[in-house]
Amino acid sequence: MIEITGFDVDSDDIIGQEGGFLGVRRLRLRNRRSDGSLSARYTCDFLVRPHGHDAVVVALYHRTKDGVEVLLRDALRPALAFGRDPAGLPVPDERPYMFFTELVAGIIENHDKGLDGVRKRAAEEALEEAGYRIDPDAVEMLGGSFPSPGAMAEKFWFTAVEITDPGAQSTPEGDGSPMEEGAAMRWMTLDQAIKACARGEIEDAKTEIGLRRLAEHLA
């Protein structure tokens, strides 16, 4: 078995970031082996974002006499609306994806440092996307996960916050982007939401992970 001890970088470029939200970092690499030899050169492409590496996922929940309910958000996802060309799909989509059901989530900005920074960002996203003002100290950490390590170095930080008064909701301010327009929210029992994921009715991976981690946390 070949033992890899590191990489030699022949070139390192960022492509297509001008004026956009994402760029492509293109590395031309060689694997450095334990015997001192190098592999053939190969290309490694992955997405990069200038305004924050990671993201926070926020499971807002409240307790009722019938159990726990979670807040779900249906928001625009143009990348799915335009990126799912039926001609290229192995299995046709059952429905269009203009709106997509997710938990509250957002980018952890460069000035958000440490776990306190993650909690602060979770509280800001709860206000921005859901209209709930929460104390960052009340944010519960549920661990992290890399959603697509072959395409992006982003890590999702999963969090949860109990909403004691669901009626204390203000109008979400959003982040000023037109992509925030038309978003709608609904409460669903935690058990029903997890079952909806298993049935393919909720197809967002970070949402399913967040819901399952919340269920384990509350158990």
Side-chain angles (χ1 to χ4, degrees):
M1 181 179 294
I2 297 174
E3 181 183 354
I4 305 301
T5 61
F7 302 104
D8 273 19
V9 180
D10 288 352
S11 64
D12 184 351
D13 302 294
I14 295 180
I15 302 165
Q17 191 168 285
E18 299 82 2
F21 187 65
L22 297 171
V24 175
R25 185 174 178 185
R26 175 160 293 166
L27 295 167
R28 289 184 171 86
L29 304 172
R30 301 176 193 269
N31 296 338
R32 190 183 312 118
R33 302 166 178 150
S34 58
D35 64 3
S37 66
L38 298 174
S39 72
R41 190 174 76 166
Y42 62 96
T43 299
C44 175
D45 287 350
F46 57 94
L47 297 175
V48 292
R49 185 171 52 217
H51 303 302
H53 283 86
D54 293 349
V56 64
V57 183
V58 190
L60 300 172
Y61 70 95
H62 78 100
R63 303 174 193 268
T64 73
K65 60 182 179 61
D66 298 318
V68 173
E69 291 189 343
V70 292
L71 186 70
L72 298 172
R73 188 170 180 270
D74 298 311
L76 288 171
R77 280 292 179 236
L80 295 181
F82 289 96
R84 302 283 299 171
D85 181 1
L89 299 179
V91 179
D93 289 331
E94 295 181 358
R95 56 186 178 274
Y97 291 109
M98 186 166 73
F99 285 87
F100 202 58
T101 302
E102 306 175 40
L103 292 172
V104 167
I107 296 168
I108 300 172
E109 298 186 9
N110 291 330
H111 59 267
D112 299 322
K113 299 298 184 182
L115 293 181
D116 286 344
V118 175
R119 291 187 177 95
K120 178 177 177 288
R121 178 55 48 188
E124 291 180 3
E125 294 298 332
L127 180 62
E128 182 180 288
E129 293 194 353
Y132 285 106
R133 191 175 299 277
I134 61 174
D135 183 347
D137 290 338
V139 174
E140 303 163 276
M141 300 298 302
L142 303 181
S145 180
F146 290 95
S148 188
M152 194 170 188
E154 178 184 46
K155 187 174 188 176
F156 287 160
W157 291 94
F158 294 94
T159 66
V161 184
E162 182 172 6
I163 303 298
T164 56
D165 181 9
Q169 184 181 29
S170 61
T171 301
E173 298 176 357
D175 61 5
S177 167
M179 284 181 61
E180 298 282 354
E181 293 180 357
M185 287 171 285
R186 54 197 163 101
W187 290 97
M188 180 183 288
T189 67
L190 179 56
D191 289 344
Q192 287 175 339
I194 292 174
K195 289 177 181 177
C197 293
R199 291 193 299 266
E201 297 167 6
I202 297 175
E203 297 182 88
D204 181 53
K206 70 178 179 297
T207 294
E208 180 168 0
I209 295 171
L211 293 172
R212 293 186 182 277
R213 291 198 182 185
L214 175 61
E216 293 176 2
H217 175 70
L218 295 178

